[in-house]
Amino acid sequence: MSEKEIKNLEEIFEQRIARDEKIEPKDWMPEKYRKTHIRQISQHAHSEIVGMLPEGNWISRAPSLRRKVALLAKVQDEAGHGLYLYSACETLGISREELYEQLHTGKAKYSSIFNYPTLTWADIGAIGWLVDGAAIINQVPLCSTSYGPYARAMIRVCKEESFHQRQGYEIMMTLANGTPDQKEMAQDALNRWWWPSLMMLGPTDAESVHTEQSMKWKLKRKTNDELRQQFIDQTVPQADLIGLTIPDSDLKWNEETKHYDFGEIDWDEFWQVVKGHGPCNKERLSARVNAWKEGEWVRDAAMAYADKQQENKIKKAI
Amino acid sequence: MKKNWPLWEVFVRSKNGLEHRHFGSLHAADAEMALENARDVYTRRSEGVSIWVVESKNITASNPENSGELFEPAQDKVYRHPTFYTLPDEVKHM
Amino acid sequence: MKKEKLIQYIYGIADNALMLGQRLSELCGHGPNLETDIACTNIALDLLGQTRSYYQYAAQLTGENVTEDDIAFLRTERQYKNVLLVEQPNNHFGYVITRQFLYDVFHLLLLQELQNSADLTLSAIAKKAIKEVSYHQRFSSDWIKRLGNGTEVSRQKVQEAVNDLWKFTDELFQLTEDDKSVIELGAGVDVSLLKEKYYQIVNDVLEEATLSVPELKWFRKGGKDGIHSEHMGYLLSDLQYMQRTYPNMKW
C-alpha cells in the first residue's frame, strides 16, 4: 500500500471512531492503534492476575468462613477478568504465551499498586474499597471504548466487579464499628493505601504522555486528574460515614469548585515503584513466573494427551 | 515445536427458549476440557443452561474488506420490509 | 448424649470439606494456567459452601450461641476429625489432583448414601452436594487420565503422588464409635461398606490412566481420632490466625 492510500484509510478509520462505530478484530486498523491496544489491554490483564497475589495472601487466613468464600470468589473473578482481557488482546494477533513472556521478562507493566504488601486483614478491606473503587472509575468509561472485544470484555468485568468494592467497604465498616484494635487496624490500612490509590489513577495530566491519542480512540474518556478528583470526591464521604480519617491534612471541601482540595502526591515514590523499587515488585513477578514454570509439565501433559486422543480417533475411523 | 493449548470460542444459552450467544473465548487442550473450562469461566453466576464450544481455527469468518459486496446490496431491497407497502388507514394491523 | 454423637459425626464429614477447601484455596493464583486455576477455585468454593451448611447445622444442634466460625476456627488440633488425606500439602499439581481424585470418589459414594439419612438436614445437604461432587469427580478423573497418559514426566509425577497418598485411603472406610451410634439411628452411613466399590472405581480410572495401583499392606490412620500429620498444625496456624490473635471479635 502506498503512503497516500494508508493515509486515506487512516482518515476513514478515524471518522468511524468519531461516529462511535466499533472496530472489530478483522477490520483494517493503523499499526499504532493495534500496538497501543495490545499494550493497554495486556497491561490491564496483567494487573488483574498480579492483583490476585496481594489478596490471595489472605485467603488461607480470612477471619470467618463468610469472609473466606467472598474473598476466594473475588480473587477468582480477577483470574476470570484476566482471562477475558487476554482473550480480547489475542484478537489483535498476539498469543497469551507471548503476553506472559512480556510480563515475565519485565517488558510489560502492570498496575504499581499491587507492589504494595498486604500486612493485615484490614488491607483486604482497603483494597476492595479503594483499589477496586479507583479501578471502577477507570473501567466504566472503557465499556464504550472503540475496540469491540475490549469494550465487551469491560462490560463483563464491570458487571462482575460490582460486588468487589462492596465487599471491601463492608470489611472496613465492620472493623471501624468493632473494637479499638479493629478500628486501629482499619485506620492503619487506610493510611497505607490512600496515597497509592490516588497514584493508581496515573500521573498528572501535565506528565501523561498518552492522553491525547487515547482520548481520540476512546481508550480514555477523562483525564487522569479528572478521574482522581472524581475518586476523592466520592471516597471522602464514605470514609466520614464509617468514622475513618483520610490521611491528608490538606484535604478540604472547596465550596467554590464543589470539589475537595487535596495535598501534594509524592510522585517520586510513584516513579520509584514503577521502576521496580516498590516493596513487593520482585515477589509479585517471581510468584507469576514460578506458577507458569511449575505449570509447564501440566500444560504439556494435557496437550500430549489431547494429541494422542485425536490420533486414536483417526485410527479408529480408518 | 512446543504446542500451546489452542483457543476455543464459547457459546452459551442463558435459558431455554433463547439462542446460544457468543460469550467469549478460552484456552483448552481438548474439547472435553474446553466444555469444563467454559462452565467454570463463563457460568460462575448461573449465566447458562447449555454450552457450545468450537475451536477458533474452525470458524470461517467473512472478510470486512468484502463487506461492501456482501452486505450493501441488501440495503436497497426496501420491498423486503413491511413499511414498503401502503395500506388504507382502516386496516390497523397486518 | 445422642446429640453430641451427631455433632461429632457431622464434624467427621465437614472437617474433610474444610481442610480440602483450605488446601485448594492455597492454590488460587498459582495454578498451572488461568483456566485450571479458576476450575480448582470453583471446587474449593463448593467445598467451603458445604462446610458452612454442615457447621451451621452443628452450631444449631449445639446451641449456646455457638457459630459456624467457632466450630471452624476455635477447636484444638485433636478436635478436628478430618482424615489425613485431605490435610496433605499441595506439593505439585500431581498431588493436588490425586488428593482430589482419591477423596472425590469416596465423597460421592458417601453422599449417595447420606441423602437417604433419617436426619432430614443431612439428607438435604447431601442432595445438594451430590451435584457439585459429581462434577469434582469428573474433573479430577479427567485430569488423572491426562496426567497419566500425557508425557513421561507427567506420568512419573502423578504416579509419585498416587504412591505417596495411597496409604491414606484405607482410613476413609474406618468406622468410629460416633459413626456406629449415628448409623444405629439411621442417620449415618456405614462407610466400611463403600470400600469395595471405591477401589473398583479408583482402580478403573488409574488403569485407564496407565498408572499402577500401589500394593500396600500398611495404611496410615488417626485423623478420625484427631491424631493428625505434622502438616496439620501449620494448616491450622494459617486457618486460625485471626481468630486466635483477636479473640471474640466480629469480622
Side-chain angles (χ1 to χ4, degrees):
Chain A
M1 240 182 287
S2 74
E3 235 171 83
K4 199 174 156 203
E5 278 171 317
I6 292 179
K7 198 107 208 124
N8 193 24
L9 280 172
E10 272 175 12
E11 237 164 70
I12 297 172
F13 180 84
E14 298 294 346
Q15 283 163 6
R16 285 183 63 192
I17 292 184
R19 280 199 304 272
D20 256 338
E21 272 182 44
K22 297 282 183 218
I23 307 301
E24 293 296 344
K26 295 187 85 179
D27 292 348
W28 183 88
M29 61 184 78
E31 198 46 28
K32 197 174 164 211
Y33 181 89
R34 200 178 74 87
K35 286 220 168 91
T36 306
H37 275 76
I38 289 179
R39 197 187 57 231
Q40 173 158 339
I41 301 171
S42 67
Q43 196 169 315
H44 196 160
H46 297 328
S47 300
E48 294 283 355
I49 63 162
V50 175
M52 295 171 75
L53 299 168
E55 288 179 285
N57 188 31
W58 279 89
I59 294 171
S60 68
R61 292 179 291 170
S64 71
L65 290 176
R66 178 173 177 270
R67 292 291 180 211
K68 192 190 281 285
V69 291
L71 180 60
L72 188 53
K74 175 180 190 256
V75 178
Q76 184 200 38
D77 271 352
E78 279 151 18
H81 299 169
L83 193 153
Y84 307 154
L85 289 161
Y86 283 123
S87 298
C89 207
E90 282 179 271
T91 62
L92 291 161
I94 186 164
S95 70
R96 197 194 290 175
E97 287 74 18
E98 287 173 276
L99 295 168
Y100 272 175
E101 179 68 19
Q102 294 178 355
L103 173 68
H104 295 164
T105 54
K107 203 181 138 206
K109 297 262 174 275
Y110 56 87
S111 182
S112 269
I113 192 99
F114 302 118
N115 291 319
Y116 289 88
T118 47
L119 303 176
T120 70
W121 170 250
D123 290 25
I124 300 308
I127 290 185
W129 175 33
L130 303 173
V131 177
D132 285 275
I136 291 167
I137 283 184
N138 246 332
Q139 288 170 354
V140 168
L142 288 173
C143 295
S144 55
T145 190
S146 67
Y147 188 55
Y150 192 25
R152 289 192 288 273
M154 288 320 299
I155 289 170
R156 192 175 289 277
V157 168
C158 287
K159 212 161 95 189
E160 296 188 349
E161 209 142 272
S162 55
F163 97 81
H164 293 184
Q165 198 190 7
R166 282 182 181 213
Q167 180 251 183
Y169 190 63
E170 195 194 80
I171 290 175
M172 291 303 258
M173 186 173 66
T174 309
L175 294 175
N177 293 330
T179 66
D181 275 355
Q182 284 177 305
K183 184 162 186 181
E184 194 187 311
M185 192 192 285
Q187 183 63 53
D188 170 60
L190 173 57
N191 292 350
R192 283 181 290 110
W193 288 93
W194 175 253
W195 293 103
S197 301
L198 296 189
M199 294 174 198
M200 190 184 155
L201 293 153
T204 55
D205 297 346
E207 299 220 16
S208 182
V209 272
H210 306 298
T211 300
E212 200 187 328
Q213 178 73 80
S214 298
M215 289 274 194
K216 228 165 75 188
W217 289 340
K218 298 173 187 174
L219 273 170
K220 241 181 182 329
R221 322 233 42 177
K222 286 182 181 171
T223 71
N224 293 349
D225 288 335
E226 285 169 339
L227 293 172
R228 196 166 7 251
Q229 189 67 59
Q230 184 187 338
F231 174 71
I232 293 170
D233 290 349
Q234 114 186 358
T235 310
V236 174
Q238 293 168 355
D240 289 344
L241 198 67
I242 55 176
L244 295 178
T245 312
I246 304 280
D248 178 357
S249 51
D250 295 324
L251 189 79
K252 214 171 79 217
W253 177 251
N254 184 326
E255 198 46 56
E256 248 167 68
T257 60
K258 301 282 177 203
H259 290 296
Y260 283 93
D261 293 335
F262 54 97
E264 194 80 34
I265 294 173
D266 180 0
W267 290 109
D268 282 345
E269 177 183 321
F270 175 77
W271 291 114
Q272 282 300 314
V273 181
V274 169
K275 283 177 189 139
H277 309 300
C280 297
N281 294 58
K282 258 211 166 117
E283 288 85 344
R284 300 294 182 243
L285 206 54
S286 63
R288 284 311 320 155
V289 172
N290 285 345
W292 189 244
K293 268 195 196 149
E294 281 165 23
E296 189 177 11
W297 68 271
V298 179
R299 298 190 301 273
D300 289 351
M303 208 57 240
Y305 176 74
D307 285 346
K308 282 183 203 167
Q309 295 293 100
Q310 197 61 32
E311 274 169 36
N312 287 346
K313 229 183 183 172
I314 293 169
K315 267 187 214 152
K316 265 189 204 153
I318 296 167
Chain B
M1 211 204 91
K2 195 173 170 59
K3 265 176 83 179
N4 293 315
W5 291 8
L7 195 66
W8 298 72
E9 300 301 321
V10 178
F11 300 81
V12 177
R13 184 202 295 288
S14 3
K15 61 177 188 194
N16 275 4
L18 296 179
E19 67 277 66
H20 284 77
R21 199 164 61 79
H22 184 233
F23 256 49
S25 45
L26 49 74
H27 289 269
D30 53 52
E32 193 71 22
M33 193 201 276
L35 262 185
E36 290 177 8
N37 288 348
R39 177 260 192 195
D40 285 321
V41 171
Y42 288 103
T43 64
R44 299 200 300 285
R45 290 176 168 79
S46 325
E47 291 94 336
V49 295
S50 159
I51 302 175
W52 291 345
V53 290
V54 55
E55 205 179 325
S56 311
K57 69 170 190 208
N58 292 330
I59 290 182
T60 310
S62 64
N63 190 334
E65 275 169 36
N66 304 332
S67 64
E69 62 195 67
L70 285 176
F71 307 115
E72 275 170 35
Q75 281 170 11
D76 66 354
K77 311 290 192 294
V78 283
Y79 44 80
R80 290 194 199 276
H81 301 280
T83 46
F84 178 73
Y85 303 92
T86 45
L87 284 182
D89 288 346
E90 289 76 12
V91 183
K92 290 265 189 302
H93 302 288
M94 184 177 279
Chain C
M1 190 60 197
K2 239 166 59 180
K3 209 168 72 175
E4 182 51 32
K5 301 253 183 228
L6 182 58
I7 291 169
Q8 291 300 322
Y9 181 75
I10 295 170
Y11 290 169
I13 298 172
D15 291 352
N16 288 332
L18 174 62
M19 299 311 161
L20 195 52
Q22 174 82 356
R23 280 298 188 212
L24 270 181
S25 59
E26 289 169 12
L27 189 73
C28 179
H30 307 275
N33 65 2
L34 283 176
E35 285 82 355
T36 317
D37 201 306
I38 291 170
C40 289
T41 301
N42 266 350
I43 296 178
L45 284 168
D46 286 344
L47 290 168
L48 293 171
Q50 294 167 19
T51 306
R52 295 187 68 192
S53 306
Y54 288 122
Y55 284 171
Q56 282 163 9
Y57 181 39
Q60 187 197 324
L61 290 170
T62 310
E64 297 166 26
N65 296 325
V66 165
T67 67
E68 55 170 4
D69 290 330
D70 295 336
I71 299 173
F73 300 104
L74 293 177
R75 280 179 289 159
T76 61
E77 181 169 330
R78 289 295 308 272
Q79 291 171 320
Y80 287 92
K81 296 295 159 67
N82 58 282
V83 292
L84 298 174
L85 173 68
V86 294
E87 72 199 41
Q88 299 309 305
N90 292 345
N91 294 343
H92 60 60
F93 192 71
Y95 277 85
V96 173
I97 286 300
T98 305
R99 184 185 59 205
Q100 192 64 40
F101 168 65
L102 292 176
Y103 189 71
D104 288 343
V105 175
F106 167 78
H107 198 186
L108 188 57
L109 291 173
L110 172 76
L111 292 172
Q112 280 163 347
E113 295 302 319
L114 191 64
Q115 67 176 332
N116 304 319
S117 169
D119 184 300
L120 295 181
T121 310
L122 284 183
S123 157
I125 297 174
K127 277 186 183 139
K128 179 166 177 284
I130 282 176
K131 292 179 193 153
E132 297 169 346
V133 175
S134 306
Y135 185 77
H136 302 174
Q137 187 183 322
R138 184 144 73 101
F139 179 84
S140 61
S141 307
D142 280 355
W143 267 105
I144 290 280
K145 291 177 209 165
R146 281 191 194 102
L147 298 180
N149 288 310
T151 63
E152 195 41 46
V153 176
S154 71
R155 214 186 68 79
Q156 274 173 20
K157 286 199 178 245
V158 72
Q159 184 71 59
E160 174 201 355
V162 170
N163 292 348
D164 233 14
L165 295 174
W166 196 257
K167 58 179 174 285
F168 299 118
T169 53
D170 192 63
E171 189 192 4
L172 295 165
F173 311 102
Q174 182 203 330
L175 276 185
T176 65
E177 288 309 311
D178 296 320
D179 285 355
K180 285 176 195 160
S181 28
V182 178
I183 291 168
E184 268 171 37
L185 299 172
V189 177
D190 185 346
V191 286
S192 67
L193 301 177
L194 306 175
K195 191 167 173 175
E196 198 183 330
K197 188 104 185 268
Y198 174 85
Y199 283 110
Q200 194 187 324
I201 299 171
V202 166
N203 293 0
D204 281 352
V205 174
L206 292 182
E207 194 184 321
E208 213 186 315
T210 65
L211 294 167
S212 54
V213 178
E215 284 174 29
L216 263 193
K217 288 214 178 63
W218 297 101
F219 290 91
R220 292 273 315 275
K221 56 185 179 186
K224 287 186 174 181
D225 297 320
I227 301 173
H228 294 277
S229 57
E230 286 184 348
H231 302 296
M232 185 70 170
Y234 295 96
L235 187 155
L236 289 181
S237 58
D238 263 7
L239 183 75
Q240 300 187 337
Y241 170 68
M242 289 298 292
Q243 291 274 348
R244 294 290 184 197
T245 314
Y246 305 94
N248 302 319
M249 298 183 195
K250 284 208 163 55
W251 300 97

